[in-house]
């Protein structure tokens, strides 16, 4: 055992995220890390920061320059690693790791796990199971997609998160209405992450099958699956999470299929040194990857993986970021957890 490899290491946290991410910073401080926070303005997270760099993380040039200035003004401070737990900032993290020679994924791999269209095209070119799709730049692209891919289908932002503006469509009228709806509403005013979207959307065939998410980490290019969530059914036409089971209610062979597909996807996308969250469906013809993210899964993923399999993903992610060999190894299921989201059908007061 290496003990606490993180004690007194200085880690750059890119974007605090919302206050629901407070548990991450609390855990990082308990691991005795020194934290530099890169964020547009000081907020609730300042309580946990040893240093603060103010910069707009959606403006990559500004953010990189702010780090340069900080280091020039603080010559005794050496950044040991950088990490983000926020989907928006995966490409910026890739740029930071490259410029400041830190351990992490390449910018190319970062884009591969953010660009929903490119992701499936890579799977296709590498002979992996993939989803039929077409990039939507205009209404004429939509008409072509309808003819080529047909229904049922899904329209989603090229760059997005939390299934926002991901819509199921069953016919031409629904497809045209949905495309008009996302064009009008999927904007940076709704969520800053859509600054990257630039009115580009993806039309994909809808994949039938039971959905799972695999929580992983990659180090030195080797993927490791540390736990599997089985998702409960979503209420179409939207794709809001409704709940999960962990461990999943599947047999050993099905579990092995999911792990093989996930490991293959992470390798071909170039994910080498980070946490990862992979959404996948078990279909009649085998597993199909829906999306891959090169960061920790959201909501209660961290807590569930720690409770059920004994792996602390925050600790593991930070160890990877500073270049320390992680010893994270999932144990057999210690307990069973079922999570359920409370999603009322109508608005009201509780």
């Amino acid at each position: 055992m290496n003990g606490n490899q993180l004690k007194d290491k200085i880690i750059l946290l890119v974007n605090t995220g919302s206050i629901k991410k407070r548990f991450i910073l609390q855990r990082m401080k308990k691991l005795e890390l020194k934290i530099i926070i890169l964020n547009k303005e000081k907020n609730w997270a300042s309580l946990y920061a040893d240093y603060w760099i103010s910069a707009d993380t959606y403006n990559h040039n500004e953010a990189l320059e702010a780090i340069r200035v900080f280091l020039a003004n603080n010559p005794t401070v050496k950044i040991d690693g950088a990490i983000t737990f926020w989907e928006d900032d995966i490409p910026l993290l890739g740029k930071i790791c490259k410029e400041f020679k830190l351990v992490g994924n390449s910018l190319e791999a970062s884009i591969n796990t953010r660009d929903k269209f490119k992701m499936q095209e890579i799977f296709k070119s590498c002979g992996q199971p993939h989803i039929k799709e077409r990039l939507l730049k205009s209404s004429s692209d939509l008409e072509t997609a309808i003819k080529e891919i047909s229904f049922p289908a899904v329209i989603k932002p090229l760059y997005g998160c939390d299934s926002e503006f991901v819509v199921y469509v069953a016919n031409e009228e629904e497809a045209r209405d949905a495309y008009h709806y996302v064009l009008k509403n999927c904007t940076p005013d709704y969520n800053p992450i859509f600054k990257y979207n630039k009115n580009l959307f993806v039309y994909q065939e809808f994949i039938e099958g039971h959905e799972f998410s695999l929580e992983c980490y990659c180090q030195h290019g080797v993927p490791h699956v540390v736990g599997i969530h089985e998702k409960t059914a979503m209420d179409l036409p939207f794709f809001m999470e409704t709940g999960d089971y962990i461990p999943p209610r599947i047999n050993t062979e099905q579990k092995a299929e999911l792990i093989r597909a996930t490991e293959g996807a992470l390798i071909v996308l170039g994910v080498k040194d980070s946490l990862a969250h992979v959404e996948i469906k078990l279909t009649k013809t085998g597993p199909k990857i829906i999306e891959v993210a090169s960061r920790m899964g959201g909501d209660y993923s961290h807590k569930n993986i720690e409770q059920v399999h004994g792996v602390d993903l925050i600790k593991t992610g930070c160890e990877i970021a500073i270049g320390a060999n992680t010893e994270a190894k999932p144990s057999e299921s210690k307990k069973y957890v079922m999570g359920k989201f409370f999603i009322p059908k109508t608005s009201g007061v509780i």
Side-chain angles (χ1 to χ4, degrees), residues 17-33:
S18 70
I19 198 167
K20 69 180 182 179
K21 301 289 187 182
R22 186 197 297 270
F23 73 95
I24 294 173
L25 283 102
Q26 290 173 333
R27 180 60 184 142
M28 289 173 73
K29 293 309 293 184
K30 285 183 179 179
L31 290 166
E32 300 182 83
L33 281 160

Side-chain angles (χ1 to χ4, degrees), residues 117 133-150 155 175-176 179 183 199-204:
F117 179 78
E133 62 176 357
R134 188 170 183 90
L135 185 63
L136 303 181
K137 299 179 181 179
S138 65
S139 296
S140 63
D141 289 328
L142 175 64
E143 297 305 318
T144 303
I146 288 171
K147 291 184 178 72
E148 289 181 351
I149 299 171
S150 192
I155 295 175
R176 293 183 187 115
Y179 185 56
L183 271 177
N199 283 337
L200 295 176
F201 296 87
V202 186
Y203 187 100
Q204 294 180 338

